[in-house]
Structure formats: C-alpha cells, structure tokens
Amino acid sequence: MFNNPFDSFHDTVAQAKAEREQLDRLLTVSTPRERLLVGAIALLLLVLAAWLVFGNVARTLAVDGVLVGPGASGEAGPPARTLIWAPPDIVPQVRAGMPAAIEVVGADAQTAVLEGTVAGISAVPPSGAPGAFESVAPVSGYRLDITLDGSLDLAPLAGRECRVVLELERQSPVALFGARRP
C-alpha cells in the first residue's frame, strides 16, 4: 500500500480507506468457544431479567439508640424498650408488626443481635428544650418497643447504646428502581 513512491498521497489514503474492515456488519459466531460465550451471556441476562421481575429486595432503616430495658409485660412477653433518634419523616413508615433487630455491644465487646417485631412507637418529648425548637430539629427522640423472639434477660444490657434495624418493606427490584424518593 505505502510501498509505491510514485503514487500520490491522496490516492494512497483513498485506497487504504476502501480496504478497511466494515465495522457495521453483524458479528459472526463461528467457533464452539464463541457459541458457548454467547450462550453464557444470554443465560446471565435471562437470570438477571427474571430476578428483576420476580425477586425481592428488603428496604431497611437503621437508627441509633439506647436500650432502656424491658417494658411492660404483654401477651407475648415483655418488649425491649429502646430510645431512638430518627428524622420525623421516617416515623410514619414504622408500624406495629414490622420485623426489627437490635444490635447491642455487650460487656465482653461482642455484638449481640436481638430479633423481634415492633410492638409500638411513640414520641419522647425533648428534656430541657423549649417546645418551639421541637419541630425544627432534624432528628427527634422516639420510644420504640420491640417484642423479642424468646425470653432474654435485658437487665445487663440496659443503658447500652444500640443500633435498631427495621425492615420497612419488601418489593421487587423493578418497583424499587421505579420508586421516587423526595
């Protein structure tokens, strides 16, 4: 192509342009290894599409708090009473019967996970703060009662900081992608 010194530069470029591969043609799959690769990619896409439609994703909320101890005894046993700090717009999403877990660090520096369901939630008035500042605060205090699975002695864990993880809802990934957040 570039070996003839008597051709003009424009002729050489035009000839090179005509000889280039056409990249707009379809990909041809000719060897068994290529067929296997294309089949694996198609299977992966099919599994991903099935999970997007039929799978589910749990939407959780984790808030910091303090484990106060056992609450008043109910029909399913005494609930664990916690004080949590959360934004006020999150609280309407929390309902009785939702799955919850309390992660608390014990005296031996090991994390214990106490699982149960939400028994109730109520607002705790801020101590020492005027009522005018209550609506302006980015986070507020709430008392969250959680009925635990099984009977545990909460007295040794009372007063410890904890993290409460609430499962708000389960939904398909397609619905999760379509949900608008403010």
Side-chain angles (χ1 to χ4, degrees), residues 74-89:
E75 57 190 47
R81 184 164 284 168
T82 59
L83 293 177
I84 61 169
W85 292 272
D89 60 338

Side-chain angles (χ1 to χ4, degrees), residues 61 63-68 80-94 118 120-127 133-146 162 164 166:
L61 169 71
V63 292
D64 293 326
V66 174
L67 183 63
V68 177
R81 184 164 284 168
T82 59
L83 293 177
I84 61 169
W85 292 272
D89 60 338
I90 297 297
V91 176
Q93 299 177 17
V94 179
V118 174
I121 186 167
S122 59
V124 175
S127 59
F133 294 112
E134 188 174 324
S135 64
V136 180
V139 292
S140 301
Y142 297 94
R143 188 183 81 214
L144 183 66
D145 294 332
I146 299 174
C162 65
V164 180
L166 303 167

Side-chain angles (χ1 to χ4, degrees), residues 11-98:
D11 292 338
T12 307
V13 170
Q15 184 182 5
K17 187 176 181 183
E19 292 177 359
R20 286 189 196 152
E21 280 187 55
Q22 297 298 321
L23 298 178
D24 59 350
R25 293 185 192 162
L26 291 176
L27 174 68
T28 56
V29 179
S30 57
T31 65
R33 189 175 274 177
E34 289 174 348
R35 289 184 193 128
L36 184 63
L37 179 65
V38 169
I41 291 171
L43 181 66
L44 179 68
L45 288 175
L46 184 67
V47 168
L48 179 64
W51 176 76
L52 283 173
V53 174
F54 300 113
N56 64 22
V57 176
R59 215 176 108 215
T60 61
L61 169 71
V63 292
D64 293 326
V66 174
L67 183 63
V68 177
S73 185
E75 57 190 47
R81 184 164 284 168
T82 59
L83 293 177
I84 61 169
W85 292 272
D89 60 338
I90 297 297
V91 176
Q93 299 177 17
V94 179
R95 294 176 305 278
M98 296 176 81

